[in-house]
Amino acid sequence: MQKLDYKEVSGLSGKEIDAKVAEMRRAIFDMNMSKATSGIEKPHQLKVAKKNIAKLLTAKNAKGE
């Protein structure tokens, strides 16, 4: 998972933002489950995913959708 730039995110529509947020929340859930069972190779990806969700929701709220 790569770090998103706010410029990329601000160009998306509300539905696209919602879809990306749902996808990232699912990815966080999967990472947490694998972390609890066997450990994950790149634990910093959890932090990146959470920050990406925050950027997406900030862009959505800025648009007023």
Side-chain angles (χ1 to χ4, degrees):
M1 182 172 304
Q2 67 181 13
K3 193 168 136 181
L4 295 175
D5 288 332
Y6 185 76
K7 293 175 187 176
E8 297 172 8
V9 173
S10 61
L12 299 175
S13 70
K15 289 186 180 186
E16 291 173 330
I17 290 174
D18 289 337
K20 280 209 174 270
V21 168
E23 175 187 330
M24 291 203 185
R25 285 186 174 157
R26 181 64 187 184
I28 288 174
F29 177 78
D30 292 338
M31 282 189 263
N32 279 329
M33 293 303 289
S34 65
K35 179 180 168 186
T37 57
S38 63
I40 52 178
E41 191 173 310
K42 298 181 180 180
H44 69 280
Q45 293 295 335
L46 283 168
K47 188 183 240 185
V48 170
K50 289 177 184 180
K51 287 184 179 185
N52 285 342
I53 289 174
K55 287 177 190 175
L56 288 165
L57 294 177
T58 300
K60 184 178 178 185
N61 288 333
K63 289 182 180 184
E65 294 182 14

